[in-house]
Amino acid sequence: MGKKLKDRFNRVITYLRASVTDRCNLRCRYCMPEGGVKFYSHDEILRYEEIERIIEAAVELGMRKIRFTGGEPFVRKGFIEFLKDVHQNFPQLEIALTTNGVLLGKYIDALKDAGVSRLNVSLDTFVPEKYRYITRVGNLKDVLHGIDSAISAGFSYLRINVVAIRDFNTDELFDFVDFTAKKPAIVRFIEFMPLGGGVWSKDRFVSAVELRKMIEKERKLYPLEGGRDTDGPATYYRVEGAGIIGFIAAMTEHFCDRCNRLRLTSIGQLRPCLFSDRGVDLKAILRGGGSKEELMQGIVDAVNMKPAGWWEVIGTDTVMSRIGG
Ligand code: SAM
Ligand code: SF4
């Protein structure tokens, strides 16, 4: 069906993650450095029309899913109108969102109208003081309200992303597991990645295998049949007496062989891999008066730059808030 965008390793690329801003209303310690980052200026970041031109080219090449991320997508002015526009112009495109959830309650009804079908909300702890500590400025109740609003609004594809950090939230694993019994949401534990921020350490890193073993000491886990994301890195289990949990072994498991994505930074660089600073400057094409065909060629070039795996390219200095996770 339609066109297929294939890389040098025969992986089909169908999924674009687009960061609409590097700004954020939180300052998570593992994502942004202590002193914050120097944010890009208004002129540096892509205008919404420019992002839509990239989407047009990407869809024409066979992309079928887009996830908007940040920074925090909701802090960019006009984001909801932009989403509605994308939905109207590309009705066949699946639209997903990754958010810290702080402003979710405020915008949830508008999100439904904008055709957003999948929501990922980041939440690392249920303890208000710990939440304040890890985000430096956040209030836990805002996120919990956001999650409840999403559930009330009927978002059936809701996932909670938890970055697992030893001696920070490993004592709350079962609170997260039990959350899946109380709420119609999937919880996914993500391995802590040494990206920017400088707070990563070996001691604080917990592998997905260790996390699973910790949970299996007290709960029975049943691997879900075909229990992997069709277009993502998670492995899923049903928990006895609870719902579904997943593990994203970003560091320990080489799921690069299943990678199907490209990442667009807020300043218009199209990156073939999360762990590399290299990419194709689509903004230069756009602002140099490039045609749709030239944009499509830029996308193909980025696809051809995809490495076999992150171990070939790791060495990024970029902070997560600029790439969007
Ligand atoms: N602000 C939104 C949010 O927090 O969901 C979207 C952007 S954020 C960069 C996307 C995801 O990256 C979040 O789930 C966050 O927890 C994750 N992330 C950021 N830094 C990370 C790190 N060092 N290791 C693992 N995950 C990280
Ligand atoms: Fe902001 Fe998300 Fe980074 Fe936290 S993880 S600072 S919420 S972009």
Side-chain angles (χ1 to χ4, degrees):
M1 187 196 97
K3 274 196 181 159
K4 276 193 176 165
L5 197 53
K6 272 194 189 167
D7 73 2
R8 293 177 296 145
F9 307 95
N10 234 14
R11 294 172 297 202
V12 181
I13 313 303
T14 53
Y15 176 20
L16 180 65
R17 290 177 71 100
S19 168
V20 294
T21 178
D22 59 329
R23 292 174 194 244
C24 189
N25 44 2
L26 299 182
R27 293 283 181 278
C28 300
R29 286 171 191 267
Y30 50 69
C31 177
M32 290 202 191
E34 179 83 63
V37 283
K38 188 181 171 297
F39 294 116
Y40 294 124
S41 70
H42 184 69
D43 285 343
E44 280 174 294
I45 63 168
L46 291 181
R47 293 188 291 273
Y48 285 132
E49 311 87 81
E50 292 175 324
I51 302 177
E52 282 210 45
R53 284 201 57 207
I54 293 171
I55 294 174
E56 182 192 17
V59 167
E60 188 130 342
L61 283 166
M63 292 273 195
R64 52 173 177 73
K65 173 175 170 186
I66 189 159
R67 174 175 298 280
F68 294 110
T69 168
E72 174 53 33
F74 287 116
V75 302
R76 180 154 177 193
K77 223 171 131 196
F79 179 59
I80 298 286
E81 289 69 33
F82 165 65
L83 281 180
K84 286 185 182 161
D85 220 51
V86 171
H87 183 48
Q88 199 171 359
N89 294 335
F90 307 98
Q92 74 279 35
L93 192 63
E94 190 179 316
I95 303 177
L97 207 67
T98 298
T99 171
N100 60 32
V102 168
L103 292 171
L104 198 53
K106 184 169 171 190
Y107 293 115
I108 199 73
D109 294 331
L111 280 191
K112 280 238 120 165
D113 297 342
V116 172
S117 55
R118 291 165 175 245
L119 270 181
N120 286 1
V121 181
S122 305
L123 175 65
D124 304 322
T125 173
F126 291 114
V127 180
E129 296 74 27
K130 282 165 73 175
Y131 186 77
R132 170 57 62 97
Y133 170 79
I134 200 76
T135 63
R136 292 196 179 103
V137 292
N139 285 315
L140 177 68
K141 64 175 176 25
D142 295 337
V143 192
L144 295 179
H145 170 64
I147 293 171
D148 282 339
S149 310
I151 292 169
S152 305
F155 274 89
S156 55
Y157 207 97
L158 182 62
R159 302 188 293 199
I160 311 299
N161 285 345
V162 186
V163 179
I165 305 173
R166 195 185 308 279
D167 297 335
F168 172 70
N169 58 8
T170 37
D171 60 333
E172 293 185 64
L173 292 186
F174 291 99
D175 297 327
F176 279 104
V177 168
D178 290 337
F179 192 74
T180 66
K182 293 181 217 147
K183 311 268 179 183
I186 291 174
V187 164
R188 304 191 307 170
F189 298 102
I190 304 175
E191 285 180 351
F192 189 10
M193 290 183 266
L195 281 164
V199 295
W200 189 91
S201 76
K202 244 189 182 158
D203 300 343
R204 302 218 117 187
F205 174 80
V206 201
S207 72
V209 170
E210 187 182 347
L211 284 166
R212 204 187 68 220
K213 284 186 178 153
M214 286 175 180
I215 295 171
E216 275 177 329
K217 274 190 189 150
E218 295 188 28
R219 298 291 179 82
K220 203 151 174 43
L221 296 186
Y222 303 96
L224 275 197
E225 200 165 318
R228 284 191 179 281
D229 272 341
T230 48
D231 57 2
T235 313
Y236 290 103
Y237 295 83
R238 181 169 291 286
V239 188
E240 187 172 39
I244 291 169
I245 61 170
F247 300 94
I248 301 184
M251 300 300 297
T252 56
E253 200 194 310
H254 298 172
F255 43 68
C256 302
D257 60 335
R258 287 178 281 121
C259 184
N260 64 346
R261 60 193 63 188
L262 290 175
R263 291 181 157 82
L264 180 67
T265 68
S266 57
I267 55 165
Q269 194 195 29
L270 191 62
R271 292 197 174 179
C273 175
L274 173 64
F275 290 94
S276 165
D277 295 341
R278 290 183 64 221
V280 174
D281 188 355
L282 293 186
K283 185 169 69 179
I285 299 177
L286 283 161
R287 296 196 183 168
S291 62
K292 182 168 79 179
E293 287 65 32
E294 284 168 282
L295 276 176
M296 286 165 71
Q297 187 55 53
I299 296 171
V300 170
D301 291 344
V303 167
N304 287 333
M305 282 164 68
K306 277 183 81 65
W310 60 265
W311 54 93
E312 283 185 4
V313 293
I314 191 157
T316 181
D317 285 332
T318 308
V319 289
M320 268 299 228
S321 57
R322 286 192 164 163
I323 328 169

